[in-house]
């Protein structure tokens, strides 16, 4: 799309948005390439100018879920509260200067709800390299893990938030922002008991120290 000439850097960055063509990121044979962003200063633009090495940052986060619990079978993971559109560049100030380590991610539009959840099924006890997400602020996006315990065929549902332990008390947690570029790995090592009987129930359940570890 031609933007014309004589625009500020901020104006151009405001215009560079990316909207997914489908709720899930396409990771199949005809996969969707991941947009990346980087900057380099050039004194001029001409055939003789050498472009320096540019460090690129992916505009999405990758989320993997791996189950190693001997008494639990992972059947699916639902992604809830993701965004469909994002800016390709990291956040920037009023002059267009990139803020590479911004404390709070910038989000665009509204996050999705339960009816628009992405469901990733698995028969291998893991989901690796399939879930890619735009940035989200703390508590906006979470996962619903579905599986079975032992020989019981009844599905169990658990909510998993993006958290880390806070201080020395294991019962206290800190909610994390989901940021562009990192990879988040959730490893289920043990399931001490049942979860919820329907996938909707954990939607309103805040994260606590619960059965899946």
């Amino acid at each position: 799309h031609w933007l014309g000439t004589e625009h500020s850097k901020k104006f151009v960055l405001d215009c560079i948005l990316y909207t997914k063509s489908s709720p899930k990121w396409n990771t199949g044979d005809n996969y969707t390439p991941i947009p990346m962003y980087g900057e380099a200063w050039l004194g001029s633009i001409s055939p003789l100018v050498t472009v320096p090495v540019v460090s690129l940052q992916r505009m999405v986060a990758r989320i993997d879920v791996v189950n190693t619990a001997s008494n639990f079978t992972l059947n699916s993971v639902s992604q809830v509260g993701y965004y469909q559109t994002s800016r390709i560049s990291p956040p920037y100030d009023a002059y267009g200067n990139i803020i590479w380590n911004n404390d709070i991610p910038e989000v665009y539009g509204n996050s999705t709800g339960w009816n628009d959840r992405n469901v990733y099924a698995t028969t291998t006890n893991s989901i690796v390299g399939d879930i890619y997400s735009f940035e989200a602020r703390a508590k906006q996006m979470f996962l619903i893990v579905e599986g079975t315990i032992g020989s019981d065929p009844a599905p169990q549902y658990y909510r998993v938030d993006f958290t880390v332990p806070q201080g020395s008390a294991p019962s206290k947690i800190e909610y994390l922002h989901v940021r562009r570029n990192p990879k988040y790995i959730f490893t289920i090592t043990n399931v001490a008991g049942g979860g919820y009987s329907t996938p909707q129930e954990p939607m309103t359940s805040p994260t606590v120290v619960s059965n899946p570890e």
Side-chain angles (χ1 to χ4, degrees):
H1 180 68
W2 173 244
L3 299 178
T5 59
E6 302 298 328
H7 290 302
S8 68
K9 177 183 175 183
K10 181 182 182 301
F11 175 88
V12 174
L13 292 177
D14 284 342
C15 296
I16 306 177
L17 300 175
Y18 187 92
T19 299
K20 292 182 291 183
S21 58
S22 62
K24 291 183 179 180
W25 200 274
N26 180 14
T27 60
D29 293 337
N30 296 317
Y31 67 91
T32 300
I34 295 176
M36 307 179 78
Y37 184 88
E39 290 190 356
W41 172 256
L42 300 177
S44 63
I45 299 176
S46 72
L48 300 179
V49 171
T50 300
V51 177
V53 175
V54 179
S55 177
L56 297 176
Q57 187 181 87
R58 290 177 288 269
M59 72 171 297
V60 295
R62 173 172 154 177
I63 303 166
D64 291 345
V65 181
V66 178
N67 175 46
T68 62
S70 60
N71 65 332
F72 184 74
T73 300
L74 177 66
N75 293 334
S76 72
V77 172
S78 295
Q79 178 194 19
V80 185
Y82 61 88
Y83 287 84
Q84 194 69 6
T85 299
S86 182
R87 289 192 171 94
I88 290 181
S89 77
Y92 44 87
D93 63 20
Y95 302 98
N97 299 314
I98 297 297
I99 307 173
W100 292 102
N101 297 309
N102 195 41
D103 290 338
I104 301 177
E106 181 180 0
V107 296
Y108 188 86
N110 298 316
S111 60
T112 54
W114 174 252
N115 291 335
D116 299 308
R117 67 193 181 280
N118 284 330
V119 181
Y120 299 86
T122 179
T123 58
T124 62
N125 254 335
S126 64
I127 298 173
V128 175
D130 287 328
I131 306 176
Y132 288 89
S133 176
F134 293 142
E135 289 184 294
R137 293 176 182 172
K139 300 183 181 182
Q140 287 184 326
M141 185 170 67
F142 57 91
L143 307 176
I144 301 293
V145 171
E146 185 247 318
T148 56
I149 299 176
S151 59
D152 186 353
Q156 304 292 319
Y157 299 90
Y158 307 88
R159 173 169 173 157
V160 178
D161 283 271
F162 292 80
T163 62
V164 292
Q166 188 178 49
S168 59
S171 60
K172 294 183 178 181
I173 58 172
E174 176 186 357
Y175 286 86
L176 300 176
H177 302 302
V178 178
R179 300 184 179 278
R180 63 176 62 220
N181 205 49
K183 178 169 67 174
Y184 298 86
I185 304 175
F186 294 90
T187 302
I188 303 169
T189 59
N190 181 57
V191 177
Y196 293 95
S197 58
T198 68
Q200 290 82 3
E201 289 178 274
M203 280 282 295
T204 57
S205 169
T207 288
V208 294
V209 177
S210 55
N211 288 326
E213 298 177 1

